Amino acid sequence: MIKIVFFDSKEYDIASFLKVMDKNTFECKFLEAKLTLDTVDLAKENDVVCVFVNDTVDDKVIDKLYEYGIKLIALRCAGYNNVDVRYAFRKIHVVHVPAYSPYAVAEHAMALLLTSIRRIHKAYNRTRDFNFSLTGLAGFDLYGKTVGVIGTGKIGRVFIDICKGFGMNVIAYDKFPIADANIEYVTLDELFRKSDIISLHCPLTPDTKHMINNNAINKMKKGVVIINTSRGALIDTEALLEGIKDRIIGAACLDVYEEEADIFFEDKSGHIMDDDTLSRLLSMPNVIVTSHQAFLTNEALDNIASTTLSNIKSYFDNDGMCDNELCYHCGNIESCKKNRKQRCF
Ligand code: NAI
């Protein structure tokens, strides 16, 4: 039996994992608590720790997990900015789910954009109150507008296809552009200057942290719409608020927030909100926030559960080898992940 402890597990995680789990192979413990240095002791006497986007897997937590004999950290998500993969190297193997539904996230990005620019959220509230006035609900056509896509990986490319379906002009920036992809790549500066809408689909790395800052916003077109379904810290939230107040940013559609860890995924209604920055964001009429729900479709949940369990089984059946390992063997996650044909360490 492979013993797995799940941190930060919600009702929908438990349902999707129980649906596909072979009870003769896996013994699972689902915990509500997030993984932190305070809760890491709950991982004792397990083989695998399964974590999500807001669990903390830093050097101190990794030391404890190593001490407790944890063999594998299995992320049930794609992004891994919350795991110190470099520190885990030669101690504990780390696997993730590289793709579970790029459509889920790209479609949510478009849903946010349409909701925002066609004022659907406002119209919904009005008509439920029998207010059928159209005053203040004027939007704009997406047809013919220029969208700048930052990051042309799996999600970015699906979002590009959706935008092309709307008759939009697409320009893109990627640090590692794809050859022959029929994508018009431009510099980041050019993207900031030319886009009516900017959508972020790159990972959070030291390189990309606060890539949307004062300097970037000052280059943007007046009225630009910013969509972030990637990671909150790609945007400097204070700079975003300033950009909104200066009327440069016409709207912000945010599924992620840089300080989301202790807030998102929880019911905080009826509580006093300590985070003044989030409160200010939510008070803006042109900001829409969803709480990291872009991934949340039935198809994505099924894929997350089955890939996570097959990653774990592959690791134990194949002497520590798994195609979805996040490897630091060559000191470069991207190239190593793509080229490695052997176990990481
Ligand atoms: P991917 O790995 O397929 O694509 C990421 C792209 O970003 C690659 O083309 C890469 O070359 C590019 N990139 C890397 N560094 C860059 C830089 N400095 N500047 C510009 N581009 C850079 O990843 P995928 O699956 O498309 O996911 C994108 C992001 O979406 C993830 O990193 C994750 O943070 C986020 N995500 C959010 C979810 C949500 O529920 N809101 C769910 C799943 C992913």
Side-chain angles (χ1 to χ4, degrees):
M1 281 293 231
I2 303 169
K3 294 171 89 175
I4 314 172
V5 57
F6 290 73
F7 283 87
D8 199 13
S9 39
K10 303 283 185 245
E11 202 184 322
Y12 48 81
D13 294 312
I14 299 170
S16 57
F17 274 88
L18 290 181
K19 196 158 88 182
V20 294
M21 194 182 68
D22 174 4
K23 294 190 177 60
N24 296 317
T25 307
F26 300 108
E27 189 182 313
C28 297
K29 195 192 282 178
F30 294 98
L31 304 177
E32 271 184 37
K34 287 193 182 64
L35 178 60
T36 65
L37 195 54
D38 293 332
T39 61
V40 67
D41 285 359
L42 298 167
K44 278 180 183 169
E45 290 168 20
N46 286 283
D47 304 306
V48 182
V49 162
C50 184
V51 296
F52 197 50
V53 293
N54 288 328
D55 290 299
T56 305
V57 196
D58 59 11
D59 52 348
K60 293 187 186 69
V61 169
I62 290 168
D63 278 341
K64 286 283 181 191
L65 294 176
Y66 187 52
E67 183 189 323
Y68 301 153
I70 298 295
K71 296 179 188 69
L72 186 67
I73 297 166
L75 280 95
R76 50 180 195 278
C77 53
Y80 45 84
N81 52 285
N82 55 329
V83 180
D84 192 337
V85 181
R86 190 189 290 268
Y87 193 78
F89 183 54
R90 295 200 193 285
K91 298 184 188 73
I92 308 177
H93 294 258
V94 183
V95 293
H96 75 148
V97 182
Y100 38 87
S101 174
Y103 310 102
V105 183
E107 288 169 15
H108 191 77
M110 181 50 85
L112 285 173
L113 175 60
L114 285 171
T115 303
S116 167
I117 66 159
R118 301 309 305 270
R119 320 277 189 255
I120 305 292
H121 53 309
K122 300 210 176 286
Y124 175 82
N125 285 331
R126 278 193 195 179
T127 54
R128 289 178 79 82
D129 202 25
F130 298 92
N131 174 355
F132 301 104
S133 153
L134 297 185
T135 306
L137 297 187
F140 63 82
D141 291 4
L142 287 180
Y143 181 82
K145 296 292 183 305
T146 297
V147 59
V149 176
I150 302 181
T152 55
K154 292 174 285 298
I155 297 170
R157 288 203 304 277
V158 174
F159 186 71
I160 288 174
D161 287 345
I162 293 173
C163 291
K164 286 185 175 167
F166 275 79
M168 301 170 81
N169 305 315
V170 180
I171 54 175
Y173 169 77
D174 195 303
K175 194 173 173 189
F176 310 99
I178 312 160
D180 308 324
N182 196 20
I183 294 173
E184 185 187 340
Y185 285 106
V186 295
T187 63
L188 202 48
D189 254 33
E190 206 177 336
L191 185 144
F192 290 149
R193 289 185 205 287
K194 287 189 172 167
S195 302
D196 301 299
I197 294 140
I198 295 174
S199 195
L200 306 177
H201 299 289
C202 59
L204 175 62
T205 64
D207 228 19
T208 59
K209 183 167 184 209
H210 287 184
M211 73 190 312
I212 305 298
N213 52 23
N214 280 318
N215 190 26
I217 290 169
N218 286 329
K219 293 175 188 161
M220 292 177 192
K221 274 186 170 180
K222 199 171 160 51
V224 64
V225 179
I226 296 186
I227 310 167
N228 188 7
T229 55
S230 276
R231 285 293 180 267
L234 295 177
I235 298 182
D236 175 346
T237 315
E238 287 299 334
L240 182 78
L241 279 162
E242 245 175 77
I244 292 170
K245 283 196 284 182
D246 292 345
R247 312 292 194 271
I248 300 171
I249 293 170
C253 305
L254 310 173
D255 185 50
V256 286
Y257 167 58
E258 56 181 329
E259 301 299 333
E260 71 178 49
D262 292 326
I263 302 169
F264 282 16
F265 305 124
E266 308 298 333
D267 181 358
K268 297 278 181 189
S269 57
H271 294 248
I272 304 294
M273 175 51 63
D274 290 327
D275 187 323
D276 292 346
T277 309
L278 181 59
S279 298
R280 270 189 296 150
L281 266 182
L282 289 169
S283 74
M284 297 287 176
N286 51 355
V287 174
I288 295 185
V289 175
T290 51
S291 57
H292 209 135
Q293 79 174 70
F295 75 99
L296 197 66
T297 64
N298 294 330
E299 291 80 357
L301 287 171
D302 288 352
N303 289 337
I304 287 171
S306 52
T307 307
T308 302
L309 293 175
S310 91
N311 281 345
I312 295 169
K313 192 153 176 345
S314 159
Y315 173 85
F316 284 96
D317 286 355
N318 299 306
D319 189 28
M321 268 200 285
C322 172
D323 285 346
N324 292 330
E325 176 155 14
L326 291 168
C327 173
Y328 239 94
H329 189 67
C330 63
N332 178 337
I333 288 184
E334 293 302 328
S335 64
C336 187
K337 239 189 343 169
K338 283 174 190 148
N339 301 331
R340 184 177 45 81
K341 294 269 180 284
Q342 53 194 334
R343 57 181 286 171
C344 177
F345 56 88

